[in-house]
Amino acid sequence: MNWNDTLDWGWPVFVQGMVLGLGLIVAIGAQNAFVLRQGLRREHVGSVVAFCAVADAVLITAGVLGMAQALGERPALAKALALGGAIFLAMYGWRALQRARQASTLHVTEAGLGLSRGAALAQAAAFTLLNPHVYLDAVLLVGSIGAQQPAPLQGWFAAGASAASLLWFSALGFGARWLAPWFARPRAWQVLDALIGVTMWVLSALLVRLVLSGG
């Protein structure tokens, strides 16, 4: 695969990684609530956003490259993990569609004592690195799916998934005052969960097709 071919094939893979990353990260959770809170308070926003985005990028890249190396000589295991990932995405999509039937909000208050930069980064680290789901999502799931891509395109996939984290955390932190009222509306989350559910099902189907085609 030459450079021009890599560019031609790279952008669709980049978008696939970004869509998967957004589908996994956009949810009501402690980390997102913390970033939104810091944005509302306008307190160390850049540092918190940068930490969360870089941490995700490191975990995603390690997952893709590590899984690619581990699975490189084990095609049967690679297919098994890919099918497992497809099942996980289908179940994730089902849960998102179930959430879309219920009213829920991400409501954050600006009340409370201010944090030093060190304390804010420590909390960001705790919400990011002590959450077991981040390793399931970023390392195992994204890593195993990214490892299915041809070697020259694995970096594109990791970059797309990492870009999703950067865009999301930037929107939460720097757009907090505009986004907070939107996040407080249950209907907005229901629509978002419905979109995530459908997207996860599409990605699951594409992953199954990739495995069945022997790619």
Side-chain angles (χ1 to χ4, degrees):
M1 183 178 291
N2 59 39
W3 175 246
N4 288 332
D5 289 338
T6 301
L7 285 177
D8 291 339
W9 287 97
W11 286 112
V13 173
F14 179 91
V15 171
Q16 182 182 351
M18 178 177 286
V19 170
L20 176 62
L22 285 173
L24 293 174
I25 200 173
V26 178
I28 296 176
Q31 184 191 42
N32 287 335
F34 176 71
V35 175
L36 186 62
R37 173 188 181 275
Q38 294 303 110
L40 288 171
R41 295 176 63 88
R42 299 181 182 177
E43 188 177 76
H44 315 304
V45 179
S47 298
V48 170
V49 167
F51 177 88
C52 292
V54 170
D56 268 13
V58 170
L59 291 170
I60 288 167
T61 303
V64 171
L65 298 182
M67 293 297 291
Q69 183 176 3
L71 301 177
E73 298 179 357
R74 302 175 179 85
L77 180 58
K79 288 187 176 182
L81 281 178
L83 287 175
I87 294 171
F88 177 87
L89 290 177
M91 293 175 61
Y92 192 98
W94 173 255
R95 289 200 301 268
L97 291 173
Q98 292 298 106
R99 290 198 306 268
R101 300 173 58 186
Q102 304 171 355
S104 56
T105 63
L106 178 60
H107 185 69
V108 180
T109 177
E110 295 184 66
L113 297 176
L115 297 174
S116 66
R117 188 182 305 275
L121 289 176
Q123 288 195 27
F127 286 128
T128 302
L129 302 177
L130 297 182
N131 178 8
H133 290 289
V134 73
Y135 300 100
L136 174 64
D137 293 348
V139 178
L140 183 58
L141 179 63
V142 177
S144 61
I145 294 176
Q148 308 299 320
Q149 303 294 336
L153 300 180
Q154 289 168 4
W156 286 86
F157 186 90
S162 300
S165 294
L166 177 60
L167 288 174
W168 175 248
F169 289 127
S170 296
L172 274 182
F174 297 109
R177 292 184 179 273
W178 178 75
L179 290 173
W182 187 86
F183 285 142
R185 295 202 299 265
R187 182 62 178 171
W189 281 102
Q190 289 177 296
V191 171
L192 188 58
D193 277 328
L195 291 174
I196 289 174
V198 172
T199 300
M200 293 297 101
W201 277 1
V202 170
L203 290 175
S204 176
L206 290 175
L207 194 55
V208 170
R209 188 179 70 173
L210 177 67
V211 172
L212 294 179
S213 68

